Amino acid sequence: MASSKRVLLGITGSIAAYRSLDIARLLRQEGHDIQMVATRSALRFFPRLNGEVFTGHPVYSDLFDAMGGGVRHIELADKSQIILIAPASADFIAKLALGLADDLLSTICLAATCPIVIAPAMEEKMYFHPAIQEHLKTLRARRVQEIPPEKGPLASGKEGVGRLPSPERILEAIQPSLNVSDAWSGIRVLVSAGPTYEPIDPVRFLGNRSSGKMGYALAREALSRGAAVTLVTGPTNIPPPVGARVFQIETAREMEENMHREFPSHDLCIMAAAVGDYRISSPTISKRKKDGKDWEILLCENPDILSGLSQKKKKGQFLVGFAAETEMEIPLLIGKATHKGVDILLANDVSRSGIGFSSDNNDLTLVTPSGEVLALGHDSKQVLAGRALDEIWNRWKPTAPNQVPKHE
Ligand code: C5P
């Protein structure tokens, strides 16, 4: 069970508001302290008294009623370790994106520094409206985490995307934030993950089999140690880790642009993405028609992002690369660590079944340019992410465990 956290559960005016009680119940069962704050319209769907009995705290709603002699919204913002808004209505999402503060819940969100997670629930047409999608994009860039709605029967009686996920699913999604320690507090970690897609034309691409699981596991592990995490990711099917700033890219050149922009403001960079080595020289703007002949497609080499970053590395920054090999030849790996300019290279054998690409398990070997070789073993990617971060920590700053080396 996670250590006890103070969770502020925000409830907004969606018909799913009554389901917040089940979320509160589950969080209480896990030992967390729940403070509910409901918007005025949420109270039309939500039984306030039941909420108070369930949580043992008043359910606050009005900015002015809640003052009670102190500055309640600041108090509530400061004492919360995570804010979960479930359900988040279209109106509330817009308010949050614009930074409006005309009620207690929106004001708390502006004053809070803890992670904010939203679980949108609304009719499908509203959810996919460009205005809401734009707001969600804005919020993602500000590290607000979305638990995407699910497909199912909606309040209108229609089937569609817009249902609030089950309390169990919501709990699973916020688990990393509930488990956070402060061992890596103040450390800024940049992780790349997933494959890159290189367009042939608007419908076809050249890609690779990377699932992104290893990179996402590293991002989650760094978050659970209290680090500020930025994830630059190629296309994957994995929900973005709660609390990370996430940039979604497709091509190697987009990944390069994002990594170079973010690298200077991070302390540790882990390049776990499977960057495509080649791209199509001249992708066509419209779909290439079948013509009964064989196609010749000219490929040109992509930039090596990792080598480019290592040339910009400042004192105190730490750079980790990955190597997906079909033959694990240690001297070659040491050579790769050296010529890529990394502090650590984590290598895995992708020819073995049950590990590597798209599997939940992996087998990692740590190699350094000075010739150190350490087997991290065969385990789940999440467990290996923990071991990898421990080893990174040991080599990066063995003498100053709570000090982030300054590089700016
Ligand atoms: O050369 P190789 O593909 O084996 O190197 C793997 C490492 O280099 C990984 O960390 C990967 O993210 C990175 N890489 C890169 N840019 C490329 C190819 C690989 O940064 N174009």
Side-chain angles (χ1 to χ4, degrees):
M1 187 160 85
S3 65
S4 168
K5 287 278 178 321
R6 289 184 302 275
V7 182
L8 189 138
L9 179 55
I11 310 156
T12 71
S14 151
I15 196 155
Y18 73 96
R19 295 180 61 200
S20 305
L21 277 181
D22 288 335
I23 301 170
R25 180 183 48 79
L26 205 63
L27 286 165
R28 284 268 325 230
Q29 269 173 16
E30 293 282 311
H32 304 295
D33 182 38
I34 317 299
Q35 171 63 65
M36 286 178 151
V37 175
T39 62
R40 198 135 51 105
S41 40
L43 289 177
R44 304 182 79 121
F45 302 105
F46 175 75
R48 186 175 197 161
L49 193 58
N50 298 32
E52 299 191 337
V53 173
F54 258 63
T55 62
H57 297 298
V59 174
Y60 294 119
S61 180
D62 192 277
L63 186 56
F64 302 101
D65 283 354
M67 298 286 275
V71 187
R72 181 78 74 197
H73 60 279
I74 301 293
E75 252 175 65
L76 289 172
D78 284 350
K79 91 175 202 208
S80 305
Q81 292 172 293
I82 175 167
I83 296 179
L84 167 65
I85 300 170
S89 65
D91 179 62
F92 195 80
I93 289 169
K95 261 200 222 177
L96 202 57
L98 295 173
L100 301 185
D102 63 351
D103 65 1
L104 183 61
L105 187 56
S106 52
T107 313
I108 291 171
C109 290
L110 273 195
T113 52
C114 65
I116 300 181
V117 184
I118 56 170
M122 64 197 73
E123 287 294 315
E124 181 172 281
K125 279 188 188 140
M126 294 169 73
Y127 180 69
F128 287 114
H129 191 285
I132 292 297
Q133 290 301 316
E134 272 298 309
H135 288 323
L136 289 171
K137 200 167 146 202
T138 305
L139 291 172
R140 274 197 293 274
R142 270 191 230 143
R143 291 184 196 268
V144 171
Q145 192 61 45
E146 182 197 356
I147 305 174
E150 289 179 350
K151 195 169 179 184
L154 302 173
S156 60
K158 293 183 186 154
E159 276 276 319
V161 174
R163 257 182 92 72
L164 189 69
S166 69
E168 289 74 17
R169 168 77 194 93
I170 290 176
L171 186 70
E172 186 191 303
I174 64 170
Q175 204 69 58
S177 303
L178 296 173
N179 281 330
V180 166
S181 84
D182 59 2
W184 283 37
S185 161
I187 297 183
R188 298 158 300 178
V189 180
L190 174 61
V191 181
S192 72
T196 57
Y197 286 178
E198 304 297 340
I200 296 171
D201 64 20
V203 293
R204 306 180 181 95
F205 62 83
L206 182 67
N208 62 63
R209 294 185 194 281
S210 167
S211 62
K213 286 179 183 170
M214 193 65 232
Y216 278 61
L218 286 158
R220 280 195 299 269
E221 185 62 33
L223 283 164
S224 76
R225 294 173 187 221
V229 176
T230 303
L231 176 68
V232 178
T233 174
T236 73
N237 291 321
I238 317 173
V242 172
R245 241 165 106 233
V246 180
F247 295 98
Q248 274 154 349
I249 57 90
E250 287 210 345
T251 67
R253 284 192 296 180
E254 286 164 4
M255 177 159 281
E256 183 188 36
E257 188 192 319
N258 278 266
M259 293 303 286
H260 278 273
R261 186 191 64 237
E262 296 298 321
F263 185 60
S265 58
H266 288 78
D267 307 299
L268 165 65
C269 170
I270 308 178
M271 194 74 206
V275 185
D277 290 320
Y278 291 89
R279 67 175 178 276
I280 287 70
S281 295
S282 316
T284 53
I285 294 172
S286 47
K287 186 181 168 193
R288 193 169 164 180
K289 300 262 185 308
K290 252 196 321 190
D291 51 15
K293 298 187 195 126
D294 290 346
W295 285 359
E296 273 186 12
I297 296 178
L298 187 65
L299 303 178
C300 62
E301 205 170 325
N302 271 327
D304 190 313
I305 304 170
L306 190 54
S307 302
L309 295 176
S310 81
Q311 278 162 23
K312 292 193 172 166
K313 200 176 113 184
K314 300 246 170 67
K315 194 160 172 271
Q317 278 183 304
F318 202 85
L319 188 57
V320 179
F322 266 78
E325 304 291 343
T326 47
E327 284 141 50
M328 296 280 274
E329 286 184 43
I330 297 296
L332 291 183
L333 290 172
I334 295 171
K336 184 175 275 194
T338 309
H339 84 252
K340 294 243 178 191
V342 295
D343 296 290
I344 285 177
L345 189 72
L346 296 167
N348 58 320
D349 182 348
V350 287
S351 69
R352 282 165 56 194
S353 62
I355 61 166
F357 283 162
S358 72
S359 162
D360 287 333
N361 295 327
N362 211 350
D363 191 333
L364 288 181
T365 302
L366 178 154
V367 175
T368 67
S370 61
E372 190 193 351
V373 179
L374 178 71
L376 299 188
H378 181 158
D379 224 312
S380 74
K381 287 184 174 170
Q382 199 59 57
V383 168
L384 284 172
R387 261 179 230 155
L389 291 198
D390 288 343
E391 295 304 333
I392 288 169
W393 185 267
N394 292 341
R395 284 158 187 79
W396 183 17
K397 40 184 165 316
T399 53
N402 287 316
Q403 298 258 302
V404 183
K406 288 285 165 263
H407 57 85
E408 287 179 306

